[in-house]
Every structure is written in C-alpha cells, then in structure tokens.
Amino acid sequence: MRSLLLKDADYVVIDAHRFIRNASVYIENNVIKDIGPSTKINKEYKADIEYNCAGHIVTPGLINAHNHLYEISQRGLGKDFTLDEWIRKVVYPVNEMLSAEDYYWLELIGCADAARNGTTAIIEMMTSFARFHADMGIKAFLDFGMRGAVARSSSHSSLISGAENRSPEEDYKETANFIDRWKGNSLVKPWVGPSMNITCPPDLQVNLKKLANEKGVKYHIHLAETANITKIARNNNYLGDVAWSYSYGLLDKNTVIAHAVWITDIEIEMINLSGAQVVHNPTSNQILADGIAPVTRLLAAGITVGLGTDGPSSNDSLDMVSEMKSCVKLSRISNLDTKSMSSKQAFKMATVNGSKILGMKNLGILQKGYLADIACFRIRRNPSLYPVYDPVDALVYYGSGRDNVLTIIDGRVVYNEGEWPTVDIDTGMEKIADIHERVRDLLKL
C-alpha cells in the first residue's frame, strides 16, 4: 500500500460549490480515504509521502473532454488561415508525414503539458492519418499515467485527402481490433470516434455505433462545428448536422458530441431526448471563427456539457483553467448577461460533467471513496493568484494552469514543481524538436 498526505492547504475544493479552509487530504493507493480539517487529518494519519500544501488551493483534477494532442506538432501555425485553409495547408500535410513513433512522443508530451496545467484526464480523438496510430495514443497515456479515453476515427469520403480513406470494412475491422486490444484497462478506455458525418457515411456509422454499444465503449463525433457543415447537412435534406446523426439512431447516452455550435432548438431537444453529452470548446471555436455554441440553452435543457481545449493547434494551449475563463466570458458576451455563465458552472463542466462524459461516478469531486485525481495551485508568493476569497472564483477569473505545482492521477504523482516523475521529459522534448524541424521543412517555414 502507498499513501499520500496533502497537508495544511489553505483551501480544499470539494466541488464547484463547496470548499474547506485549512484542510488536508489523505490518500491510500488510488483512493481518497479521508478529507477534513488539518488539525484532525494530520493527527490521525501518517503517510509514506507528505506534501506541505500551506499557501495552496487543492482541487479535483480538471478533465479535458475533447482533444487532438498530436497537434502539438502544428502549434502556432496557420493562425490567420480560414478553417478550410488551416486543415488543407497545415493539419493534413503534417499528420500524413508523422510516423508511429512521432505520434507516441507527441501524445506523451501533450500529456505532460496538460498535467503541468492541472489536467488529470483527457478525451483524445485521433482523426485522419492519426487514427492509424491510435495504439500510440493509449500507450503514451499509460506510460505517462494519464487517465482518459482515446477514440479511433474512421474515414471513407474525406473532402481533404483521399489518402486517408479506407473501405468501410477495413475501418470497422481495425476499430474493433483496437477496442479489443485495449478494452478492460481501468485508466484509459478505447472509444469509437468517426470524426464527422461528411467524412464517414451513415451505413458505416450505424455499424460503428452498434460496435461501440456491443463493446460497452463510447462514441465520439464532431457535430455542427461550422456553418458550412450545417449547410451541407441541410443540402442533404436534414435540419442540421445533429439531426443527421439523430435520424440514423447515432445519438444515445453513450454518444459524446464535440462542438454543437450551429444547432437549432429542435436539435437541442434531440440531444436531450437521446441522453447524448456535449463538449464545449470555447477558445478553439473563437480562434477558428467557428461560432458560439449555445451552452446556456444546452445546460438549461438538462444536457451534460463538458469542457475541452480542443487540439493544441486550433487552441495552442492545453490550459483548462484558462478554458474555464474563456467559457464564462464567451457566454456572457454572446448573451449580454452576466448571469448566463458563472465560475461555478464552468468549474462543474471541467470536473463533474467531464467525469460523467467519461462514464465514471467516482471522479471529479474530492471526497471519501473517490479516485485521487488532484491538482494543487500555488497562492503563496504568487501575486497573480492573490488574494483569494473564493477559490473557484479565484481560479476561473484570475488563475492559470501555470499556477499548478502538483498533479496526482490515480493516487500517483505525475507532476511536481517542474518535474515529471513518470517520463523522461528531456528526451521527449528532443523528439518534439526533431519533429518540428521536419514540419518546418515540409511546410517551407
């Protein structure tokens, strides 16, 4: 048995609406065994390793519910392109060039970046050419110790490059094999992820959805991200992109929708009736000029909405603390209403709602019996995060992922004040530097 004691935190955040001042957290193996006032917890427990958390905010780990980590290879590129130009001129050429080993290191360093910012779980979607190396995504997660899911995409009718297309039979078979190879792992789950309706035909999607349900895994898809995608859906005689999926029975409680920007009230009701969940990506949607998702209407309908940064090429950041602030700001300015989104709602989206999307009931809250996925943000000697009256307000409105100093996943320390104990960060950065040089050559930068 291994044990950890997080001692004397100024604030321990239980969930979006509850916190304890001057508190400690005791962990055995991968579970929170006790939590409460420091005077009580410190006296009752001695641990193998103890961390002095005085001058810090201890929170549930943040859950990044939609990503493409391998896009670190394209970070900072094509920022003034339209979405179509960016995909054609940057994303696809680079993704096609990358090897299996490249994808492994990109995923691994992506995990390191996210954990450094207080993220303890990621839902990864490996699309286009990346899907051929989806195993590298799960291997990197496991080697790092990151919790989450990796969805393998499918494509039969790419609008960008025919080189990524495979027959429906081949994509189905490879997806089934991918699930069988990794199903049963407690930390990282294999998912089905047929990128979008316009690249993966309905008959294949129906079969993939059956496969996901039979295997007991989730189905992750981009829907209604842009006005053009909605236009294509309407040209095919559907109300919209969500309605397209709904008409084929692809939406249910095991379906996770990324984006849902261009949707109607009727489609919101379709999502609600089906039990599907949505992931909001506010920063990525702004940078790519996709539009503004109707998050307040989705939440008001009772739909579970999580929060994601999207890939580090469209967003450029894996900072979920900043993403919470972006979520609040975008909602308020689009509705011209300060009450349309609060720090508490954004924090819940990034924790409890993320755990629901992952299909986990013992995650996203700090309390006895829950899994020990935890972040720790420094207040002491940090003028940027001071003073603190309410810890959730502080993090969302004026905090940053870079205020985080300690990240614990499944009871295991994966980041501690500039050190990543589970990986060789220097070797990883050297591998990324080599990839970046090859990207420069490819794109003639």
Side-chain angles (χ1 to χ4, degrees), residues 126 131-132 134 150-154 171 174-175 178 191-194:
M126 302 192 74
R131 79 183 191 271
F132 305 131
V150 175
R152 185 191 188 277
S153 187
S154 297
D171 252 339
E174 289 304 318
T175 301
F178 169 70
W191 283 11
V192 178

Side-chain angles (χ1 to χ4, degrees), residues 49-63:
I49 302 174
E50 298 184 355
Y51 290 93
N52 179 7
C53 294
H56 293 76
I57 302 170
V58 173
T59 77
L62 303 175
I63 299 172

